[in-house]
């Protein structure tokens, strides 16, 4: 394998957060290695982002209020300040001036989009395919215009931890495993979509960074706050589903139930543009009550305004102007607990992007703040991570005796894991269901660990990461008795905030 080697800053993951961290560390003159298990841009969640990237325009105070309101008052105000106060300059510097993203414009300048729970249009976008228009030029820029060493198809399996700090990671490529020592390690491994049967994430989102950090002893927080997007195309038998951006509702599309009725005004005063958790629960309830929910795009020029999405609908055989939709796992608000520079509770270990819990999202994330958070925290962490010496510590002994897994081993375990997560740790949860889920997940993790003691392979480590993270989510959900934001406990205490979606009877 082309040898991963010692480096000042090791970044794991190549979405917007990892690329921003690598860019910032490179700008500081550090030797930077960026390892990604991906072989194509589509493996990063960034590529799939549709809506866009929110900026503050002329009213940062209102942007902050919208973030806090969408989180039902649970977002950390200090973290929100960091995000919003750095938003416009980071977007201008990196996305516009450095990598040249061509955001949509109109006769007056940027064509700001509107999404749920935003008080005004403030979202920069490229049609509804913003992610790939940011990700591809960013990847190319880092690979071609900086000194960052990009290692594709290279997975981090374990962190090199020692006495409360992290000194790099064990990297795997083509079955070969090598320790890479680093002055600092930045995790940017994205979300946990692979833990649920329907998700808007790429299949690779197995929670690797969160699991590695937790196993190394780092604090994690807010793991119960798994955000479900209300409108993913329901998909076919094979589960082919895709996100239908909130921007479509922002332009006037309307949710209707199986009886053809518009229902969101009964759930929230902001109707179809209510906070995401409220809309997701309402869609789920109406699907149960009336058989289906569709997004009616007839109030807008769907093909004209959202040509990529219209194309996807056409490919999937959707009979426009109505798109059958269902909630899908979309974003983990929690993760590795970090401060305003992405520093975790372990020395020299950083986490940025979706695998991190910065406090910005609290219990529920406002639309089009995830790319922004990855950008802002990535830059801050990358800058901060520079300047440590590189130390060598004893690497863990990873066994390579019998690397092949039985063909159906990982697939079977993933199926079991996804079933229990969807049934017991999904949009609505019960105390009993969460206990049962923990029991199943503990058994499953035990079985996976037994395999991991005898062999090392990427797919086994992904499965191990997924089982660790699933348990963290289920445990955090069981420990939090208060329904708030994305965590809705049917038999729990309500936080007192009036959120009509939480009153739907699911008996
Ligand atoms: C969307 O386009 O609806 C998703 C935007 C986001 O999750 O921030």
């Amino acid at each position: 394998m082309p040898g991963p080697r010692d480096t000042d800053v090791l970044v794991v993951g190549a979405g917007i957060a990892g690329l921003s961290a690598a860019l910032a560390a490179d700008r500081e003159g550090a030797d930077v290695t960026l390892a990604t298990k991906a072989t194509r841009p589509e493996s990063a969640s960034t590529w799939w982002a549709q809506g866009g990237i929110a900026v503050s325009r002329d009213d940062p105070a209102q942007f902050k209020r919208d973030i806090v309101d969408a989180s039902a008052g649970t977002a950390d105000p200090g973290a929100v300040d960091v995000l919003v106060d750095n938003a416009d300059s980071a977007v201008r510097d990196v996305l516009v001036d450095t990598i040249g993203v061509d955001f949509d414009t109109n006769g007056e300048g940027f064509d700001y989009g509107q999404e749920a729970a935003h008080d005004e249009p403030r979202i920069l976008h490229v049609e509804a395919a913003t992610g790939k228009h940011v990700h591809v030029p960013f990847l190319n820029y880092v690979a071609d215009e900086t000194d960052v060493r990009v290692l594709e198809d290279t997975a981090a399996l374990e962190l090199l931890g020692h006495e409360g700090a992290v000194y790099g990671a064990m990297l795997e490529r083509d079955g070969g495993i090598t320790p890479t020592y680093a002055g600092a390690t930045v995790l940017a491994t994205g979300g946990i979509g692979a833990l649920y049967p329907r998700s808007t994430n790429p299949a690779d989102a197995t929670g690797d960074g969160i699991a590695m950090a937790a196993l190394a002893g780092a604090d994690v927080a807010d793991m119960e706050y798994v955000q479900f997007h209300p409108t993913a195309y329901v998909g076919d038998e094979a589960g082919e589903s895709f996100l239908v951006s909130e921007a479509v509702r922002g332009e006037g599309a309307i949710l209707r139930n199986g009886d053809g009725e518009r229902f969101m005004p009964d759930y929230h005063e902001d109707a179809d543009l209510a906070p995401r958790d409220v809309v997701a629960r309402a869609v789920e309830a109406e699907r149960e009550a009336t058989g289906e929910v569709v997004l009616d795009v007839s109030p807008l020029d769907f093909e004209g305004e959202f040509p990529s999405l219209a194309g996807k609908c056409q490919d999937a055989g959707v009979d426009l102007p109505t798109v059958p939709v269902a909630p899908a796992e979309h974003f983990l608000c929690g993760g590795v607990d970090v401060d305003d520079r992405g520093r975790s509770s372990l020395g020299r270990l950083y986490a940025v992007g979706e695998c991190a819990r910065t406090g910005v999202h609290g219990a529920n994330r406002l639309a089009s703040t995830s790319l922004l958070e990855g950008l802002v925290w990535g830059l801050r962490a990358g800058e901060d991570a520079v300047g440590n010496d590189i130390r060598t510590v004893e690497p863990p002994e990873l066994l390579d005796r019998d690397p092949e897994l039985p063909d159906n081993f990982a697939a079977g375990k993933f199926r079991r894991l996804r079933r229990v997560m969807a049934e017991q740790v999904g949009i609505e949860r019960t105390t009993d269901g969460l206990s049962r889920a923990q029991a199943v997940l503990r058994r499953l993790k035990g079985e996976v660990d037994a395999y991991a003691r005898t062999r090392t392979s990427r797919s086994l480590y992904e499965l191990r990461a997924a089982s660790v993270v699933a348990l963290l989510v289920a445990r955090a959900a069981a420990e939090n008795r208060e329904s708030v934001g994305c965590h809705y406990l049917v038999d729990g205490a309500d936080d007192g905030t009036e959120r009509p979606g939480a009153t739907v009877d699911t008996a």
Side-chain angles (χ1 to χ4, degrees):
M1 88 186 258
R5 51 170 215 199
D6 301 351
T7 187
D8 293 334
V9 178
L10 172 64
V11 179
V12 183
I16 191 170
L19 292 169
S20 301
L23 174 69
D26 178 79
R27 282 174 167 178
E28 293 294 307
D31 174 87
V32 183
T33 300
L34 186 150
T36 169
K37 65 180 182 177
T39 51
R40 1 172 258 149
E42 292 92 314
S43 294
S45 297
T46 297
W47 193 91
W48 294 93
Q50 292 188 8
I53 183 155
V55 291
S56 63
R57 298 190 68 183
D58 299 328
D59 196 352
Q62 184 60 46
F63 186 14
K64 291 176 188 179
R65 276 195 295 278
D66 288 353
I67 293 173
V68 173
D69 288 352
S71 78
T74 58
D76 171 350
V80 174
D81 284 348
V82 169
L83 184 83
V84 173
D85 295 346
N86 289 283
D88 295 27
S89 57
V91 168
R92 168 69 58 191
D93 164 20
V94 176
L95 302 189
V96 178
D97 293 344
T98 304
I99 66 169
V101 178
D102 216 358
F103 290 114
D104 286 0
T105 53
N106 54 32
E108 288 152 26
F110 286 127
D111 174 36
Y112 295 103
Q114 170 89 51
E115 288 184 53
H118 284 271
D119 181 70
E120 62 168 343
R122 62 161 74 90
I123 296 160
L124 292 174
H125 61 100
V126 184
E127 200 232 294
T130 311
K132 64 178 157 201
H133 289 280
V134 167
H135 192 223
V136 173
F138 207 162
L139 265 177
N140 290 341
Y141 183 86
V142 167
D144 300 339
E145 307 291 334
T146 72
D147 293 326
V148 175
R149 191 177 309 107
V150 179
L151 304 174
E152 286 185 355
D153 197 10
T154 302
L157 301 185
E158 271 189 37
L159 297 176
L160 294 164
H162 183 66
E163 295 184 347
V166 168
Y167 297 95
M170 300 294 281
L171 297 187
E172 178 273 335
R173 186 171 187 203
D174 277 346
I177 300 158
T178 328
T180 292
Y181 297 102
T185 303
V186 182
L187 298 172
T189 55
I192 63 165
L195 275 57
Y196 288 87
R198 186 185 287 122
S199 166
T200 61
N201 294 183
D204 290 347
T206 45
D208 307 347
I210 300 169
M212 283 191 290
L215 291 172
D219 293 342
V220 297
D222 289 352
M223 292 296 289
E224 67 273 43
Y225 300 129
V226 179
Q227 182 174 72
F228 290 81
H229 196 289
T231 57
Y233 167 59
V234 284
D236 53 24
E237 288 290 301
E240 273 308 314
S241 170
F242 53 83
L243 178 66
V244 184
S245 175
E246 222 158 67
V248 182
R249 274 176 285 136
E251 292 301 315
I254 285 168
L255 287 160
R256 296 190 186 281
N257 63 21
D259 301 328
E261 286 161 4
R262 184 176 189 200
F263 56 87
M264 274 315 300
D266 299 338
Y267 286 83
H268 196 279
E269 61 185 6
D270 292 335
D272 301 86
L273 292 179
R276 223 171 244 186
D277 59 312
V278 176
V279 185
R281 281 197 298 276
V283 169
E284 190 76 348
E286 294 291 326
R287 272 170 54 83
E288 272 173 32
T290 69
E292 75 163 350
V293 166
V294 298
L295 188 64
D296 175 0
V297 299
S298 60
L300 61 144
D301 173 13
F302 185 57
E303 283 90 349
E305 291 188 54
F306 299 98
S308 320
L309 261 177
K312 279 187 179 183
C313 288
Q314 198 172 21
D315 294 346
V318 173
D319 193 11
L320 290 175
T322 54
V323 188
V325 291
E329 191 282 339
H330 185 56
F331 188 88
L332 176 65
C333 299
V336 182
D337 200 14
V338 298
D339 69 7
D340 65 357
R341 298 213 167 255
R343 292 178 283 229
S344 77
S345 62
L346 295 180
R348 299 164 173 242
L349 180 67
Y350 295 74
V352 292
E354 191 173 347
C355 73
R357 181 271 181 199
T358 61
V360 159
H361 310 305
N364 189 34
R365 180 176 66 83
L366 179 68
S368 286
T369 54
S370 54
L371 294 180
L372 182 62
E373 184 197 38
L375 173 68
V376 168
W377 256 264
L379 293 174
R380 293 168 73 80
E383 206 178 277
D384 199 80
V386 171
N388 296 305
D389 58 338
I390 300 168
R391 286 195 212 160
T392 308
V393 296
E394 190 63 36
E397 199 191 338
L398 299 187
L399 297 176
D400 222 353
R401 268 204 318 262
D402 181 8
E404 289 305 311
L405 282 174
D407 272 353
N408 53 9
F409 177 85
K413 296 276 181 278
F414 258 117
R415 262 198 306 279
R416 211 159 103 208
L417 185 146
R418 288 188 188 114
R419 194 165 52 237
V420 73
M421 292 303 282
E423 286 172 4
Q424 315 293 2
V425 200
I427 292 186
E428 292 184 346
R429 301 153 180 188
T430 65
T431 309
D432 271 3
L434 290 170
S435 307
R436 279 201 301 279
Q438 286 184 87
V440 174
L441 291 168
R442 257 188 236 110
R443 252 193 329 272
L444 192 137
K445 182 175 169 301
E447 292 163 26
V448 177
D449 284 346
Y451 266 91
R453 279 193 285 277
T454 65
R455 68 197 81 199
T456 308
S457 75
R458 194 184 295 185
S459 61
L460 181 58
Y461 269 70
E462 287 179 330
L463 179 59
R464 187 177 80 146
S467 65
V468 168
V469 175
L471 249 183
L472 290 170
V473 174
R475 190 179 304 154
E479 283 169 2
N480 186 351
R481 302 291 309 146
E482 184 183 64
S483 283
V484 56
C486 307
H487 176 56
Y488 180 60
L489 208 47
V490 174
D491 53 356
D494 193 75
D495 71 337
T497 313
E498 200 175 327
R499 301 172 78 75
T503 61
V504 173
D505 181 7
T506 56

